Amino acid sequence: MAEETSTGGGSELLQSPLHENHAALGAKFAEFGGWSMPLEYAGVVKEHTAVREAVGVFDVSHLGKVMISGPGAADFVNASFTNDLNRIKPGKAQYTLCCDAETGGIVDDLIAYYRDDEHVLIVPNAANTSEVVRRLQAAAPEGINLADHHRDYAVLAVQGPKSDELLEAVGLPAGHEYMSFVEAAAPDVLGDEIGVVVCRSGYSGERGYELIVANEAAGALWDALLSRGEELGAVPCGLGARDTLRTEMGYPLHGQDISLDVTPNEAGLGWAVGWKKETFWGRDKLVAEKEAGPKRALRGIVAVGRGIPRPHMTASLTADVPVGEVTSGTFSPTLKKGVGLVLVSTTVDPEAEIGIDVRGRREIFQLTKPPFVPSHVREGS
């Protein structure tokens, strides 16, 4: 699932319905998209490793939830966002982009849940939800309704090779096709009639699921996942591990790797664009750019030495020839070396070695195509 960077500001932070559960577990909190969310519990590396080897449970309730409904709702979504809903069928979810109609820049990346032709649930990033809703409302024809449920539902991500076992342990369905979702009846652990949407998706690169549940049932489900998952090695995970996991996969982060200043062509996200569609926001600009070739490209970097890349560090071919900037970077707990993403001129060979200014030292990195570690998201599909 897509996610945005933390933001500054003095306004009061919103809290997840699970805030007290996290505090009881000793979580360290940080601001993400105007929300106070758990950054880590027992440490980023431990949580990261649990997801790669067993199973981790994340609270990502800061993500938006907006139901678009009415006659032709699916057609409206399809005419607005880049990806083609006709590529999938009801009961499937799809990664897509909301682009600016004039520039083609990425307003947000999001997941669209195609329930039926009259109901599409979209899950934008927290900081961008209001802007996506504003643009949709401005374009919506008569009869199309938008209901913003941002603060009504929690989202839990269960990620890792043992995620199926954990879902089954709490009475939720598992094993369905990648990017498909099931609207499940309430499992016994909730003790009420509130159901759970179970989608086989995630932001870690591992087999996993994302669960959408009403706020009033979120605490019971969170506690059940952790208690039933103890023998499976399940641990609560914060957004710190979520970031290292997604960086190892080369998944873009809105606000860092992609933004209004970056197009899908530059970001390597052309696969999420329905080029044969007649209409979507930014189409003319993006088609023209695709035909001409973008001047920048988002590429992966892996350290040759011990350097750890961080956002905004300068990339260069030689010490005095800058060619781009690091957008995301971290120490990979899996590879035990620095990895990241860099927005670099397309004049640079995609397999070249480049230098990154790491705190005044010029460290060498290899340009490469992510992911940096194998993806397991489709295993068993």
Side-chain angles (χ1 to χ4, degrees):
M1 168 76 68
E3 185 164 341
E4 66 294 307
T5 58
S6 60
T7 59
S11 58
E12 184 176 349
L13 298 180
L14 299 173
Q15 291 185 350
S16 159
L18 296 169
H19 187 86
E20 296 304 321
N21 301 69
H22 302 315
L25 291 170
K28 296 179 181 178
F29 292 90
E31 179 184 358
F32 276 80
W35 291 62
S36 175
M37 298 299 294
L39 182 65
E40 62 178 283
Y41 302 85
V44 171
V45 173
K46 180 177 179 181
E47 295 163 22
H48 178 111
T49 302
V51 172
R52 291 279 182 248
E53 298 180 355
V55 61
V57 184
F58 300 81
D59 176 12
V60 288
S61 300
H62 59 305
L63 297 174
K65 310 99 192 169
V66 181
M67 179 61 79
I68 303 169
S69 62
D75 289 338
F76 170 60
V77 170
N78 209 27
S80 303
F81 301 152
T82 61
N83 216 333
D84 190 351
L85 274 181
N86 291 323
R87 291 174 174 173
I88 63 173
K89 59 186 179 181
K92 296 292 291 289
Q94 184 182 68
Y95 178 84
T96 190
L97 304 165
C98 173
C99 289
D100 183 80
E102 301 299 323
T103 69
I106 301 172
V107 176
D108 197 22
D109 61 337
L110 59 144
I111 302 294
Y113 287 68
Y114 184 10
R115 185 178 183 185
D116 56 49
D117 290 345
E118 296 191 4
H119 298 86
V120 179
L121 175 72
I122 62 169
V123 180
N125 288 301
N128 302 326
T129 297
S130 60
E131 178 61 15
V132 171
V133 170
R134 184 190 71 78
R135 290 174 183 248
L136 287 169
Q137 286 177 331
E142 186 176 352
I144 296 296
N145 301 304
L146 278 76
D148 190 348
H149 297 292
H150 200 164
R151 302 191 65 183
D152 301 327
Y153 290 86
V155 183
L156 307 183
V158 179
Q159 301 286 297
K162 295 184 179 179
S163 56
D164 289 56
E165 294 176 64
L166 180 50
L167 260 61
E168 290 166 354
V170 299
L172 287 173
H176 39 289
E177 187 180 3
Y178 179 60
M179 292 299 281
S180 67
F181 63 91
V182 176
E183 298 184 45
D188 291 341
V189 296
L190 298 187
D192 54 34
E193 298 302 316
I194 297 175
V196 182
V197 176
V198 181
C199 186
R200 193 172 153 207
S201 55
Y203 196 52
S204 69
E206 296 298 329
R207 184 182 178 92
Y209 300 83
E210 291 176 306
L211 317 176
I212 302 176
V213 63
N215 282 356
E216 53 265 39
L221 182 55
W222 170 268
D223 291 342
L225 288 166
L226 293 180
S227 61
R228 301 282 179 89
E230 189 171 358
E231 62 183 27
L232 298 173
V235 301
C237 299
L239 299 185
R242 190 169 167 85
D243 192 57
T244 57
L245 289 159
R246 71 92 191 169
T247 303
E248 286 189 345
M249 299 309 301
Y251 292 158
L253 177 66
H254 197 279
Q256 285 186 201
D257 310 299
I258 55 177
S259 67
L260 269 171
D261 296 326
V262 179
T263 69
N265 292 315
E266 293 176 319
L269 294 173
W271 59 268
V273 178
W275 295 109
K276 296 182 179 180
K277 291 198 305 181
E278 294 184 0
T279 304
F280 60 85
W281 295 341
R283 183 184 186 279
D284 291 347
K285 176 73 173 181
L286 294 175
V287 168
E289 183 187 52
K290 181 175 184 284
E291 292 174 350
K295 295 181 179 180
R296 303 181 299 174
L298 192 65
R299 304 200 187 281
I301 48 173
V302 177
V304 172
R306 300 177 62 183
I308 309 298
R310 299 297 182 191
H312 308 301
M313 289 180 173
T314 300
S316 59
L317 278 180
T318 62
D320 57 349
V321 183
V323 291
E325 182 178 271
V326 175
T327 55
S328 283
T330 192
F331 174 77
S332 163
T334 304
L335 299 179
K336 305 293 191 294
K337 62 177 63 176
V339 300
L341 296 171
V342 60
L343 193 60
V344 65
S345 169
T346 50
T347 61
V348 178
D349 188 318
E351 297 181 354
E353 286 188 348
I354 61 172
I356 303 290
D357 183 356
V358 181
R359 297 187 177 90
R361 301 187 317 275
R362 190 169 187 272
E363 298 282 354
I364 303 301
F365 289 78
Q366 176 69 54
L367 287 174
T368 187
K369 184 178 181 179
F372 306 112
V373 301
S375 171
H376 302 293
V377 295
R378 295 180 180 273
E379 285 190 355
S381 289

